[in-house]
Amino acid sequence: MKQFEDKFMEVQASMISLASEYVRAQAEKIFIYAIADSLYSFNVFYKVNGHVVHKHEVNEYLPEGLKIDTTLQTSLLREGVKDVKNMVKVCGEYHREHPTEMWLVYDAETNSLKSKYSYEGRYDKDEELLPRKEFEKWFEEVKESQE
């Protein structure tokens, strides 16, 4: 019988798989920011050929024959939110508190995952806090540090 940790990891693996499929597994690293607070949100950016880029910029760093269909961004985000909701469901099934924020960094070259979670409900307490701004803040931090 699967344990909580197994199911929780399956949800994270689904998020990584989804983000990887979008770029046809051509990213060196995948950065996912997910929220399950007073709202649900999922967003992703990538490190492609040494460049940290938003999902709509990946084609600028891919060889001509390997370009991706960036019109799939909406589907990517919608399916990502489904994974976030599934994560909340899994936590509920096991009577566990679910993370309100997740920062996932998948390194495709080493097949390793770093994750950071917050259980503090920031979005329901601060109307000025916007997922897009927090996502951009993390994007800029990673871009500056060239993780």
Side-chain angles (χ1 to χ4, degrees), residues 1 5 12 16 27 37 39 41 50 55-56 67 72 88-89 94 98 106 133:
M1 187 169 161
E5 289 79 13
Q12 290 182 124
I16 298 298
D37 197 351
L39 56 102
S41 181
K55 60 191 168 300
H56 64 277
K67 303 286 186 198
L72 296 174
V88 172
K89 182 181 166 197
Y94 287 87
H98 67 81
Y106 175 71
K133 286 184 178 178

Side-chain angles (χ1 to χ4, degrees), residues 119-135:
Y119 293 87
E120 178 187 339
R122 295 189 318 140
Y123 285 91
D124 62 350
K125 293 176 185 160
D126 186 349
E127 291 180 14
E128 300 292 314
L129 194 61
L130 298 172
R132 180 180 40 78
K133 286 184 178 178
E134 291 300 297
F135 174 76

Side-chain angles (χ1 to χ4, degrees), residues 83-101:
D83 279 339
V84 175
K85 289 179 178 180
N86 192 27
M87 182 258 312
V88 172
K89 182 181 166 197
V90 166
C91 290
E93 286 172 3
Y94 287 87
H95 308 290
R96 302 282 184 102
E97 184 180 13
H98 67 81
T100 54
E101 288 179 280

Side-chain angles (χ1 to χ4, degrees), residues 17 29 38 45 56 73 77 86 108 121 127 147:
S17 177
K29 289 190 179 183
S38 57
F45 60 94
H56 64 277
Q73 289 178 67
L77 300 180
N86 192 27
E127 291 180 14
E147 187 171 322

Side-chain angles (χ1 to χ4, degrees), residues 68-85:
I68 62 161
D69 182 359
T70 56
T71 64
L72 296 174
Q73 289 178 67
T74 303
S75 297
L76 167 69
L77 300 180
R78 184 174 38 248
E79 292 302 312
V81 166
K82 286 181 186 177
D83 279 339
V84 175
K85 289 179 178 180

